[in-house]
């Protein structure tokens, strides 16, 4: 029996940085937003013409902190920059189980990231939030 709609549990996310998998065990949220640049022409003899051109993808993913892997990645990125002037890039794979049971895989390429939220509180789970930008999103399957 097929499901009528996609739900959050139908999505799984894997994150690679410089070709190495970063184990972010419990990704609890993922959002991707297509970025576009508006192009506009205002001809003197006609109606305005507007269209959008692709301009990358931005988004956020949230994890329930189950290990120090994200913190260690951020520290390694900073160290690489300050010690050698090198800034790496990542790849995000999003796997979606479609309502009909088929699988769709999206690959986000040339990812840069920022750790946005790392809030600690007494007797509360730690949820970390990462903002990312990717040059493009490609359908793998």
């Amino acid at each position: 029996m097929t499901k009528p709609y996609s739900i959050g549990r139908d999505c799984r996310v894997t994150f690679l940085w410089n070709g190495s998998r970063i184990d972010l065990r419990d990704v609890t949220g993922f959002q991707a937003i297509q970025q576009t640049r508006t192009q506009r022409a205002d001809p003197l003899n006609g109606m305005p013409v507007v269209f959008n051109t692709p301009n990358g993808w931005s988004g956020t993913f949230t994890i329930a902190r189950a290990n120090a892997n994200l913190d260690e990645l951020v520290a390694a990125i900073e160290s690489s920059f300050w010690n050698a002037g090198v800034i790496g890039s990542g790849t995000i794979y999003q796997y979606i189980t479609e309502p009909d049971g088929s699988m769709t895989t999206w690959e986000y390429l040339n990812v840069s990231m920022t750790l946005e939220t790392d809030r600690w509180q007494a007797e509360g789970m730690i949820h970390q939030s990462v903002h990312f930008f990717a040059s493009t999103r490609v359908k793998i399957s």
Side-chain angles (χ1 to χ4, degrees), residues 14-22 73 89-93 111:
T14 301
F15 186 55
L16 304 177
W17 192 264
N18 288 338
S20 297
R21 182 179 171 159
I22 308 302
L73 172 62
S89 66
T91 304
I92 296 173
Y93 291 94
V111 171

Side-chain angles (χ1 to χ4, degrees), residues 22-136:
I22 308 302
D23 179 24
L24 304 176
R25 195 181 81 193
D26 296 325
V27 177
T28 59
F30 182 80
Q31 176 182 5
I33 303 163
Q34 182 188 27
Q35 302 296 301
T36 59
R37 182 166 290 152
T38 301
Q39 308 293 333
R40 181 177 175 133
D42 294 307
L44 295 175
N45 60 349
M47 304 277 286
V49 178
V50 177
F51 59 95
N52 294 318
T53 54
N55 196 29
W57 288 77
S58 65
T60 303
F61 61 87
T62 307
I63 67 166
R65 190 178 189 277
N67 55 41
N69 291 351
L70 181 57
D71 297 305
E72 290 169 359
L73 172 62
V74 170
I77 292 168
E78 288 180 7
S79 178
S80 260
F81 175 74
W82 292 118
N83 292 331
V86 174
I87 300 175
S89 66
T91 304
I92 296 173
Y93 291 94
Q94 180 186 21
Y95 305 94
I96 301 169
T97 303
E98 300 294 351
D100 66 3
S102 65
M103 177 74 73
T104 301
T105 304
W106 296 101
E107 179 181 50
Y108 296 82
L109 297 167
N110 300 317
V111 171
S112 64
M113 56 153 272
T114 303
L115 177 60
E116 284 194 334
T117 306
D118 189 22
R119 182 174 177 227
W120 292 73
Q121 59 190 14
E123 304 306 322
M125 286 185 68
I126 308 308
H127 295 273
Q128 295 175 305
S129 181
V130 172
H131 178 77
F132 70 88
F133 177 83
S135 297
T136 189

